[in-house]
Amino acid sequence: MTNVTIIGAQWGDEGKGKVVDWLASRADIVVRFQGGHNAGHTLVVGSQTYKLSLLPSGVVRGKLGVIGNGVVIDPSALLAEIERVGAQGLPVTPASLRIADNAPLILPLHVALDSAREAARGSRKIGTTGRGIGPAYEDKVARRAIRVCDLAEPETLSAKLDELLLHHNTLLAGLGAPTFDKADLLKSLLELAPKILPFAEPVWERLAAARLAGSRILFEGAQAVMLDVDHGTYPFVTSSNTVAGTAASGSGMGPDAVGRVLGIAKAYTTRVGSGPFPTELHDDTGTLLGERGREFGTVTGRKRRCGWFDAALVRQAVKVGGVNGLALTKLDVLDGFKTLKIGTGYMIDGKAYKHLPAGMAAQAAATPIYEELDGWDSSTRGARSWAELPAAAIKYVKRIEELVEAPVTLLSTSPERDDTILVQDPFAN
């Protein structure tokens, strides 16, 4: 058996939660390796709906969850999430959750700076969630981050706060925002310490032992490839690397631990927040896709922009993200459309492109090149085999495979975890 890494192959919100939940039931350990509480997965288990943003999805299935060093952790948000799922009858304890002791923390000053900078941008907003993710990653690479392990060392914590406040209070004051008091921050962190530290350990050691023992490890990505800070539609991206290679560096494992990479993509396209979106629909069809797909963000509640499937974009995600196979979700949302369109490339200043260029002006000017396919009248909702699908739906899926240059190894036909057509077991060698 092999490990499996799951990443989004569009701009996030592709229905990763259901796929992760479905695979987590067959894994031994589920690892979050990047991002923060700016992304989330919705898991429907029986009569309960769990909305997770930091907790690895495996905890819902009684599997060990690991938050790796590549994640930025808001300790207050994490504890609130643990309390919330606990109230739903799902206890999360140090026996079911481990946190990398070298993971950076998100502090209230990061949230304040995030919001102040976004407000200062005015009409040039980049669509941040305002949860402090970007500023926390900035502190990490600037070597001034407070990490989980620092909570066990009050003197280290105090010294690091001096450097942090020198930097952040200067910026906040320049933006006309309130500044922070060291004593208040230190007090709150020391109060949080005994609640967070029981979960902390060098998780790389546990993961290395688990791999040696033959355990199945599922790496759970957040956001998606086109939000990757290097490979996405920069600067309208997240602040971390979302590609599969980050599963190794963000967990403390070697690159050969990543295993099979499953890219999740909707049968159409959505995006939350600002940024280019060539196949976006501003008409009744776009509205209908949003209504039928219930397109609102798990964490933010923001309405998602909707459009046709962009095969050129997903092909790009397949190549740079290391995707071995696609999990195509929400096929049932397309039921009843007389015709469907797939974006196969872009026209920019009279020139055709098979990929979305890196330049901001080029991305903003890109208009889609479409291929039109017949739709289908019958329902695909709940189908669990190819035989239950209309011929036109199968043709649509096969055409996507050809255009993105990757096989569809899993097809989801409803939010229910068992309404899934499995072509190839991702855990199989």
Side-chain angles (χ1 to χ4, degrees), residues 16-237:
K16 290 189 293 294
K18 171 191 167 173
V19 179
V20 169
D21 178 46
W22 189 79
L23 288 171
S25 63
R26 303 176 58 242
D28 300 302
I29 301 175
V30 181
V31 182
R32 273 287 310 273
F33 59 88
Q34 51 76 219
H37 65 308
N38 56 338
H41 293 157
T42 299
L43 282 71
V44 180
V45 183
S47 61
Q48 288 280 13
T49 298
Y50 299 100
K51 293 184 180 294
L52 307 181
S53 56
L54 271 171
L55 291 174
S57 298
V59 298
V60 173
R61 294 290 168 187
K63 305 304 172 78
L64 177 66
V66 171
I67 298 177
N69 57 276
V71 178
V72 285
I73 301 170
D74 183 325
S76 297
L78 176 60
L79 292 171
E81 187 174 336
I82 289 172
E83 184 178 348
R84 185 175 68 250
V85 298
Q88 291 182 266
L90 179 64
V92 177
T93 70
S96 59
L97 175 69
R98 307 307 295 166
I99 301 173
D101 56 4
N102 56 341
L105 296 181
I106 299 174
L107 306 183
L109 53 80
H110 294 126
V111 179
L113 182 59
D114 204 358
S115 299
R117 287 198 303 207
E118 188 75 337
R121 291 185 179 107
S123 61
R124 294 176 287 108
K125 287 180 171 63
I126 59 173
T128 172
T129 59
R131 291 172 181 245
I133 310 296
Y137 274 117
E138 290 174 36
D139 282 345
K140 176 183 177 178
V141 298
R143 296 169 292 183
R144 57 174 171 257
I146 289 175
R147 306 193 295 177
V148 172
C149 56
D150 297 329
L151 296 176
E153 301 179 3
E155 290 185 5
T156 300
L157 206 54
S158 177
K160 282 194 168 185
L161 278 175
D162 287 332
E163 185 176 358
L164 266 187
L165 290 173
L166 177 65
H167 178 80
H168 286 278
N169 276 346
T170 302
L171 288 174
L172 288 166
L175 291 166
T179 57
F180 283 80
D181 178 71
K182 177 185 175 179
D184 291 340
L185 279 174
L186 183 59
K187 181 175 180 288
S188 65
L189 286 170
L190 291 175
E191 289 173 350
L192 287 167
K195 300 175 184 177
I196 295 293
L197 287 173
F199 294 95
E201 69 176 20
V203 298
W204 60 268
E205 201 161 36
R206 181 183 293 269
L207 292 172
R211 190 180 182 203
L212 194 62
S215 298
R216 293 176 174 176
I217 301 173
L218 179 65
F219 295 98
E220 175 186 3
Q223 290 96 22
V225 173
M226 299 316 295
L227 290 176
D228 185 279
V229 71
D230 286 312
H231 302 290
T233 48
Y234 190 91
F236 303 99
V237 293

Side-chain angles (χ1 to χ4, degrees), residues 217-385:
I217 301 173
L218 179 65
F219 295 98
E220 175 186 3
Q223 290 96 22
V225 173
M226 299 316 295
L227 290 176
D228 185 279
V229 71
D230 286 312
H231 302 290
T233 48
Y234 190 91
F236 303 99
V237 293
T238 194
S239 299
S240 60
N241 288 109
T242 60
V243 294
T246 315
S249 60
S251 63
M253 301 190 76
D256 58 341
V258 171
R260 188 178 301 278
V261 181
L262 193 62
I264 318 298
K266 278 177 185 159
Y268 50 103
T269 310
T270 63
R271 177 165 198 170
V272 170
S274 308
F277 184 171
T279 64
E280 183 175 10
L281 296 169
H282 300 280
D283 56 11
D284 291 344
T285 299
T287 301
L288 182 60
L289 286 172
E291 290 172 350
R292 294 175 74 176
R294 299 180 182 178
E295 297 298 352
F296 295 92
T298 297
V299 171
T300 63
R302 291 186 293 178
K303 185 178 179 181
R304 296 171 186 149
R305 301 153 62 190
C306 298
W308 294 120
F309 187 88
D310 189 337
L313 192 85
V314 175
R315 176 182 174 274
Q316 197 164 331
V318 164
K319 301 303 182 186
V320 303
V323 173
N324 303 121
L326 280 188
L328 197 65
T329 66
K330 293 195 169 185
L331 182 69
D332 55 302
V333 173
L334 300 180
D335 291 351
F337 282 94
K338 182 167 286 189
T339 58
L340 300 168
K341 292 182 180 180
I342 296 177
T344 60
Y346 314 99
M347 290 298 298
I348 303 172
D349 296 331
K351 181 181 177 182
Y353 288 79
K354 285 188 65 177
H355 71 283
L356 193 60
M360 286 180 65
Q363 290 179 358
T367 58
I369 299 170
Y370 281 125
E371 181 176 304
E372 196 166 289
L373 288 84
D374 291 334
W376 52 89
D377 293 326
S378 52
S379 175
T380 63
R381 189 176 178 87
R384 299 185 182 182
S385 70

Side-chain angles (χ1 to χ4, degrees), residues 18 22 328 331-332 335 376 378-395 397-398 408-414 416-424:
K18 171 191 167 173
W22 189 79
L328 197 65
L331 182 69
D332 55 302
D335 291 351
W376 52 89
S378 52
S379 175
T380 63
R381 189 176 178 87
R384 299 185 182 182
S385 70
W386 288 105
E388 297 175 60
L389 295 177
I394 295 174
K395 185 177 179 181
V397 173
K398 293 298 182 185
V408 172
T409 58
L410 187 150
L411 187 64
S412 171
T413 57
S414 94
E416 298 299 322
R417 69 191 299 268
D418 292 328
D419 290 342
T420 303
I421 300 171
L422 180 64
V423 181
Q424 183 181 16

